[in-house]
């Protein structure tokens, strides 16, 4: 393991001698859990918790200021700490080749985030021109439910909104033998405009337009905290925010056809987002 140049140990309190008569305040215990994120393709890092122990950061202002120092320390060090001591494990998927059988992909709980980018990826031999369906279900809001983005559907919801102001956005059609179709789910915007929604569900589906071979694809889910989202060509990127997680799931898209409805294509799975504490559960269906 290379020497860690990011993780810094506690030192402030040990070196601090308060001036006589000065009132000082100390932090309460704070924690930050992140996944090791420097694993090779096909593996996933385990979650690691870094602890800012109580009474390690000092302030002459108040406890909130001491806690803010602890949170800043965690922000700066948690990922380096996780990468240093975490482990990489084989993703618990039963297949990654031409012959899918009895696929077992457990539901995955995500860390808190604001934005989610879903990338539907296919390699040579899978098929030609994957078309995707991504959108909200079961919100009870007519302008959200079953408003799919993708080829032949909508480009974004609401129409003509920029990425930062959209609820869901599709980056554009890819018709090649290999490729990636990308969608943004802007949970931050949905929460701001629909404060009564405690749980938000997103459905994912896909179909081969031109031809199907093995049908195997990967679904890459990346989450971000903070920053702003921008559509760039046929991708959607985060500026000035923090990437929280990136997970990959395998899926076989068995249906090929043109101008099909979402109920006629291959269902991929669902994302169940909880408004409190801004996290989600990913369920890939097989």
């Amino acid at each position: 393991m290379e020497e860690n140049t990011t993780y810094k140990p506690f030192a402030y309190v040990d070196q601090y001698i308060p001036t006589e008569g000065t009132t000082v305040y100390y932090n309460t215990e704070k924690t930050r859990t992140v996944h090791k994120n420097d694993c090779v393709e096909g593996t996933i890092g385990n979650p690691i918790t870094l602890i800012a122990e109580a009474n390690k950061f000092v302030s002459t202002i108040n406890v909130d200021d001491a806690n803010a120092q602890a949170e800043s320390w965690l922000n700066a060090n948690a990922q380096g700490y996780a990468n240093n001591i975490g482990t990489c494990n084989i993703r618990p998927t039963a297949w990654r080749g031409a012959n899918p059988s009895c696929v077992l992909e457990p539901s995955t709980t995500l860390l808190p985030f604001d934005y989610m980018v879903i990338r539907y990826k296919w390699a040579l031999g899978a098929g030609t021109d994957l078309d995707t369906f991504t959108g909200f279900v079961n919100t009870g809001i007519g302008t959200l439910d079953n408003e799919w983005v993708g080829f032949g559907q909508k480009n974004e919801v609401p129409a003509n909104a920029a990425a930062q102001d959209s609820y869901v956005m599709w980056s554009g059609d890819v018709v090649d033998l290999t490729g990636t179709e990308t969608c943004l789910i802007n949970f931050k915007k949905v929460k701001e405009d629909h404060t009564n929604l405690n749980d938000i569900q997103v459905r994912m589906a896909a179909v081969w337009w031109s031809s199907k071979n093995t049908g195997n694809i990967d679904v890459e889910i990346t989450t971000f905290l903070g920053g702003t989202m921008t559509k760039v060509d046929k991708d959607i990127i985060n500026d000035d925010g923090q990437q929280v997680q990136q997970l990959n799931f395998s899926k076989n898209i068995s249906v090929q056809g043109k101008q099909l409805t979402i109920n006629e294509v291959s269902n991929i799975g669902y994302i169940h987002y909880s408004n409190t504490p801004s996290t989600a559960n990913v369920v890939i269906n097989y």
Side-chain angles (χ1 to χ4, degrees), residues 117-213:
V117 173
I118 304 172
R119 293 184 175 93
Y120 305 90
K121 298 182 173 184
W122 66 100
L124 190 65
T128 306
D129 188 2
L130 183 73
D131 287 333
T132 58
F133 297 71
T134 311
F136 298 98
V137 294
N138 301 323
T139 67
I141 300 172
T143 54
L144 288 181
D145 283 344
N146 305 310
E147 296 292 329
W148 313 110
V149 298
F151 178 76
Q153 312 297 319
K154 299 179 184 295
N155 292 329
E156 65 278 317
V157 178
N160 301 316
Q164 190 62 24
D165 298 320
S166 67
Y167 300 131
V168 57
M169 171 177 277
W170 174 61
S171 67
D173 194 26
V174 178
V175 300
D176 301 327
L177 294 172
T178 65
T180 301
E181 288 210 357
T182 303
C183 289
L184 163 69
I185 310 295
N186 191 338
F187 288 104
K188 183 175 186 291
K189 180 66 173 175
V190 175
K191 289 195 305 177
E192 288 174 349
D193 292 355
H194 302 282
T195 56
N196 61 318
L197 285 179
N198 293 320
D199 294 287
I200 304 168
Q201 289 181 295
V202 173
R203 183 179 177 184
M204 300 171 289
V207 62
W208 298 104
W209 175 272
S210 296
S211 65
K212 169 191 171 292
N213 192 7

Side-chain angles (χ1 to χ4, degrees), residues 224-268:
F224 300 93
L225 188 65
T228 57
M229 304 303 299
T230 307
K231 182 178 179 296
V232 179
D233 296 326
K234 292 187 177 180
D235 199 7
I236 301 173
I237 63 172
N238 178 271
D239 295 312
D240 300 323
Q242 173 188 354
Q243 179 177 312
V244 180
Q245 287 174 277
Q246 186 172 89
L247 305 176
N248 287 276
F249 303 91
S250 298
K251 178 68 182 181
N252 184 266
I253 305 302
S254 60
V255 179
Q256 186 274 322
K258 299 180 178 180
Q259 298 177 331
L260 301 181
T261 69
I262 192 169
N263 293 323
E264 298 173 303
V265 303
S266 296
N267 189 42
I268 292 176

